[in-house]
Amino acid sequence: MSGLLSADLPEEYLELARTVRAFATEVVAPVAHHHDQTHTFPYEVVAQMGEMGLFGLPFPEEHGGMGGDYLALCVALEELGRVDQSVAITLEAGVSLGAMPVFRFGTDEQKQRWLPDLTAGRALGAFGLTEPGAGTDAGGTRTTAVRDGDEWVINGSKQFITNSGTDITTLITVTAVTSELDGKRRISSILVPADTPGVLVEPAYDKVGWNASDTHPLTFTDVRVPVENLLGEEGRGYANFLRILDEGRIAIAALAVGAAQGCVDESIRYAGEREAFGRPIGANQAVAFRIARMEARAHTARLAYLDAARLLLAGKPFKKQAAIAKMVASEAAMDNARDATQVFGGYGFMNEFTVARHYRDSKILEIGEGTTEVQLMLIARELGLPG
């Protein structure tokens, strides 16, 4: 047996994995190609995920959550990522970038206002961090929030923002420069209701992959929100979002492992069914060894994200392990997608096959939530190397 169900995990996580796998197989997979080809958001799937409690997995019941933990979220993401990365990233971003900042840094009033709908999947939140001139260098943020009496006035633009333009998007957490200290810009996080005047959701991107995931640029023009919409301490937005990204890298790693495992599963099935020269192609050592290497990548990457998640849950430092997991898993997803496409031959180049979608979808895993180069930088820094 391969995959998450063979992992050494407590039974409650394995039961969750079985439940989400069945949902992914019976509900998500049959409509994945349609939403990918039509570039439509899978509202019906998201609604069912909300009813299952997936958006509330790592949150306490007092906020409408399921009382689980971050590892439970990762388990769900791996199983969804096996069949449809767009659906998986919708959940990952909705939890890690939408609801988690409010849970980690919000006031009691902010939590009471926003979390019940976000954790139930009735609403989605977005995290407005990346800008046209500030991606990896997020400290180069140009969006500003100026205090005017009892309001913040926000001006600027954001790009590549997931879950920012759906019909159920209700909240955007915006990072903005609120002041300067000793010549350095102080970045804060501010909660902006999506229907606030001055918030413009620009047309959706025409992407290579993740076509059923909602992604837009955002423009903020004299957007006014109350001063109490400040999330956390003023000037701590940069530090706070770094914590959010560290956690998010574990979740992205789990999603990537799902994609890598999905490529293994599809290749095993196809190699057993497809015949050439009178026997299944899986009987050929070249194909068998290729699939064996794919399984080794997925297994190794899974161990990496499980290790990082366990450190997080234990309250121990996990930055290095999260970076390792994200890098190893994203590379495994990309490499396995390439190899799976080769196993499928001409069929692997046809979009109706899952491996073709994984081939297009997986590249962004090496870019989003910190590029591979950023992960290497973080790992080197944690090792104490100079620079």
Side-chain angles (χ1 to χ4, degrees):
M1 181 186 293
S2 64
L4 183 59
L5 293 178
S6 66
D8 182 20
L9 290 172
E11 179 57 31
E12 60 264 31
Y13 296 105
L14 295 177
E15 181 58 32
L16 173 64
R18 285 189 283 267
T19 298
V20 179
R21 176 170 294 194
F23 173 75
T25 302
E26 298 166 10
V27 177
V28 180
V31 299
H33 176 62
H34 166 74
H35 286 296
D36 176 72
Q37 290 302 101
T38 58
H39 293 218
T40 50
F41 188 75
Y43 287 103
E44 75 285 3
V45 172
V46 171
Q48 292 182 67
M49 287 163 53
E51 293 170 0
M52 292 173 64
L54 299 188
F55 286 93
L57 278 174
F59 301 107
E61 294 178 8
E62 64 185 285
H63 297 305
M66 299 295 289
D69 54 31
Y70 214 84
L71 179 54
L73 172 65
C74 290
V75 166
L77 288 171
E78 177 175 342
E79 291 301 331
L80 291 171
R82 288 175 59 253
V83 301
D84 190 348
Q85 293 186 43
S86 287
V87 165
I89 195 58
T90 298
L91 175 62
E92 192 280 333
V95 174
S96 296
L97 302 180
M100 193 61 72
V102 179
F103 175 68
R104 292 286 186 213
F105 311 115
T107 64
D108 289 340
E109 291 76 13
Q110 289 169 343
K111 292 176 184 179
Q112 291 170 10
R113 177 180 179 183
W114 297 108
L115 286 182
D117 284 341
L118 294 175
T119 58
R122 293 188 295 267
L124 290 173
F127 194 74
L129 170 64
T130 304
E131 299 185 2
T136 296
D137 178 20
T141 297
R142 292 291 185 270
T143 297
T144 61
V146 178
R147 181 79 176 264
D148 182 21
D150 293 333
E151 294 181 316
W152 293 107
V153 182
I154 304 172
N155 284 279
S157 60
K158 301 291 180 177
Q159 66 178 7
F160 310 142
I161 310 303
T162 305
N163 293 343
S164 57
T166 74
D167 293 343
I168 58 174
T169 300
T170 62
L171 176 67
I172 305 164
T173 301
V174 179
T175 54
V177 178
T178 52
S179 62
E180 289 194 11
L181 181 64
D182 298 329
K184 294 183 178 180
R185 287 170 295 181
R186 301 178 71 211
I187 298 174
S188 303
S189 298
I190 300 174
L191 300 176
V192 179
D195 60 357
T196 305
V199 176
L200 176 62
V201 179
E202 305 283 0
Y205 293 100
D206 182 12
K207 297 172 292 186
V208 171
W210 284 7
N211 288 330
S213 168
D214 179 82
T215 320
H216 297 262
L218 301 173
T219 300
F220 302 88
T221 305
D222 293 332
V223 173
R224 290 180 173 268
V225 297
V227 293
E228 56 264 28
N229 281 29
L230 180 72
L231 182 64
E233 298 178 28
E234 184 176 353
R236 292 286 299 170
Y238 188 81
N240 289 347
F241 84 69
L242 288 179
R243 165 67 190 230
I244 293 297
L245 290 181
D246 284 340
E247 294 180 359
R249 286 173 182 133
I250 304 175
I252 289 292
L255 189 163
V257 170
Q261 189 66 55
C263 289
V264 174
D265 297 344
E266 288 294 306
S267 295
I268 292 172
R269 178 189 60 77
Y270 185 77
E273 296 175 354
R274 172 68 169 172
E275 291 192 358
F277 304 105
R279 63 177 185 172
I281 62 172
N284 298 316
Q285 201 173 69
V287 175
F289 280 12
R290 186 185 294 272
I291 297 174
R293 286 189 180 277
M294 292 165 62
E295 171 68 8
R297 292 188 196 113
H299 179 74
T300 302
R302 181 178 298 107
L303 294 178
Y305 94 68
L306 289 176
D307 179 53
R310 285 170 174 147
L311 290 173
L312 168 62
L313 297 185
K316 297 179 179 180
F318 65 93
K319 181 185 288 286
K320 180 181 73 174
Q321 288 78 6
I324 291 172
K326 199 272 183 183
M327 182 185 72
V328 170
S330 61
E331 291 181 345
M334 192 67 245
D335 289 343
N336 277 15
R338 185 184 304 109
D339 279 350
T341 302
Q342 196 70 22
V343 169
F344 271 69
Y347 290 110
F349 204 61
M350 301 297 110
N351 277 325
E352 65 263 31
F353 286 86
T354 303
V355 297
R357 193 167 65 251
H358 278 312
Y359 188 79
R360 289 185 287 107
D361 287 348
S362 293
K363 182 57 194 173
I364 189 60
L365 294 168
E366 297 181 311
I367 298 171
E369 296 262 1
T371 63
T372 297
E373 291 74 19
V374 166
Q375 309 315 314
L376 290 169
M377 178 184 68
L378 292 172
I379 295 165
R381 184 181 297 164
E382 290 295 305
L383 291 174
L385 292 168

